[in-house]
Amino acid sequence: MDGMELPPPVQMVQMLAGFQVAQALYVVAALGVPDRLVDGPLPAAALADLVGADPDALRRVLRTLAGMGVFSEVAAGTYALTPLGETLSSDHPGSMRDLAIMWMETHYAPFGHLLEGVRTGQVASDLHYGRPFFDWLSEQPAQVARFTGAMANLTDGIKAGAVSSVSLEGVTRLVDVGGADGAFLSLVLAAHPDVRAVLFDLPHVVADAPKSLAARGVADRVECVGGSFFESIPGGDGYILSLVLHDWNDEQALHILGNVVQAGGPGARLYVVEAVVPPGDTPHMGKMIDLTMLAMLTGRERSATEWRGLLDAAGFAEVTINETPTPLSVISAVVA
Ligand SMILES: C[S@@+](CC[C@H](N)C(=O)[O-])C[C@H]1O[C@@H](n2cnc3c(N)ncnc32)[C@H](O)[C@@H]1O
């Protein structure tokens, strides 16, 4: 059927099997299969021995994923990594391994409550964990590290292409609000050698940041501050909010933005790095991530009109939406 569009029932079966594919990708990522293939192809049986898996079961998982371009069966039962499969190895610059593991270990089960969530308007993750996701996460140290690693995956693999749109006109003290381990901030600072910065996130998250900032060569220019952006935010003349506001509903987002306005004062510059959902049927990564926000948090992905409305309401002027070569835009604004 090469070159032909598959009949709708077949396409639908493939879409419905998406949960199986996500689990199979998790299995190979968690077992460390792609890491074992970085130096060259291996027979499934040898791989199973190396990673501690059942040879027949692993071969069947690899065969399925090879049919999707993640591996390549270079000889009967022998598998190689493809460029797509490389993104599940640990040290690849576009690695999504932490994201693969984090999503399946913390997001997969809550999605089982999506039907109830959509019926009632409740957050599926709250139904699963019994409390808001970030509250639950704060008591799971291994998952905090994995979540922060997943954010760094998204920075290195996707957000890096948005850095040049964070123009920092005249900014000398930049505050990255909800900046995780500083992966994105480090890229921005590398492009602006005279700027100093504050990395602000929850105390248990910034506790691990100095290591990552040192590895990225910017530790001497960054002060790490722990706290909640719902209470207060450190002072500066420039602010980054990267993939933060989409986690929260309008009321909560206005609360965070209000604290930025208070901390920065008139003239402070804001750079919001987020998806801007296009109208109509246009496919966009933001439409998929909106389901993550719907099931896991109170947030949402927003359209250009919604972003402008939110920033106007919070007291920002000169709102400009800059598309980047990535699925994310940089929305810049100035405290009025
Ligand atoms: C989706 S992540 C984005 C991380 C980072 N800005 C990036 O672009 O990779 C959201 C961040 O918000 C942080 N966060 C959640 N609640 C917070 C709060 N009340 N105060 C400060 N940071 C918070 C989380 O710890 C997490 O690092």
Side-chain angles (χ1 to χ4, degrees):
M1 302 200 61
D2 268 3
M4 283 169 57
E5 189 165 293
L6 294 170
V10 179
Q11 287 184 47
M12 185 50 69
V13 170
Q14 289 189 336
M15 285 176 87
L16 289 169
F19 77 100
Q20 302 186 166
V21 176
Q23 280 291 352
L25 292 168
Y26 165 64
V27 166
V28 293
L31 288 173
V33 169
D35 285 341
R36 303 289 183 162
L37 292 176
V38 166
D39 293 330
L42 283 173
L47 266 173
D49 202 32
L50 284 170
V51 303
D54 178 84
D56 180 58
L58 183 63
R59 183 187 62 79
R60 290 164 64 189
V61 169
L62 292 171
R63 183 177 62 182
T64 301
L65 294 176
M68 310 187 85
V70 179
F71 300 101
S72 164
E73 190 173 8
V74 289
T78 294
Y79 290 90
L81 267 190
T82 63
L84 189 55
E86 281 175 354
T87 67
L88 292 180
S89 63
S90 304
D91 297 327
H92 189 267
S95 176
M96 293 293 152
R97 180 169 183 261
D98 279 326
L99 183 71
I101 297 175
M102 183 274 284
W103 262 357
M104 288 303 106
E105 293 189 354
T106 66
H107 287 39
Y108 182 79
F111 264 81
H113 298 268
L114 187 59
L115 177 59
E116 190 184 350
V118 170
R119 276 204 176 114
T120 63
Q122 291 171 280
V123 178
S125 172
D126 294 4
L127 293 168
H128 182 76
Y129 290 123
R131 56 201 161 133
F133 178 67
F134 282 121
D135 292 359
W136 170 82
L137 189 65
S138 67
E139 286 165 20
Q140 318 288 327
Q143 294 297 359
V144 168
R146 191 67 83 183
F147 186 89
T148 300
M151 294 306 114
N153 282 172
L154 291 172
T155 292
D156 296 327
I158 296 181
K159 277 175 278 175
V163 168
S164 61
S165 301
V166 180
S167 41
L168 297 194
E169 302 89 342
V171 171
T172 58
R173 183 175 157 92
L174 180 65
V175 185
D176 189 358
V177 179
D181 67 350
F184 186 69
L185 179 63
S186 302
L187 296 180
V188 174
L189 289 180
H192 297 273
D194 298 330
V195 173
R196 302 191 68 80
V198 178
L199 176 67
F200 181 70
D201 205 299
L202 293 167
H204 63 271
V205 175
V206 284
D208 277 343
K211 247 185 306 166
S212 142
L213 293 168
R216 290 173 183 262
V218 295
D220 57 335
R221 285 197 279 148
V222 183
E223 181 191 345
C224 295
V225 177
S228 169
F229 44 50
F230 289 115
E231 284 162 21
S232 68
I233 291 175
D237 54 4
Y239 288 83
I240 293 176
L241 280 167
S242 166
L243 298 186
V244 166
L245 295 174
H246 76 161
D247 291 343
W248 305 99
N249 64 29
D250 285 358
E251 188 190 338
Q252 294 163 322
L254 283 170
H255 188 156
I256 298 168
L257 287 167
N259 283 343
V260 170
V261 168
Q262 200 165 21
R269 294 190 174 268
L270 172 67
Y271 304 89
V272 174
V273 183
E274 293 275 7
V276 175
V277 178
D281 293 343
T282 314
H284 194 279
M285 194 181 82
K287 291 181 179 173
M288 192 60 71
I289 300 299
D290 191 45
L291 287 187
T292 315
M293 299 305 130
L294 178 67
M296 300 302 296
L297 297 158
T298 56
R300 60 178 56 239
E301 299 299 326
R302 295 178 169 92
S303 66
T305 310
E306 289 168 331
W307 280 119
R308 287 181 184 284
L310 195 67
L311 291 168
D312 281 355
F316 287 87
E318 299 176 38
V319 177
T320 311
I321 299 181
N322 297 296
E323 286 187 13
T324 74
T326 76
L328 300 173
S329 294
V330 175
I331 308 167
S332 58
V334 179
V335 178

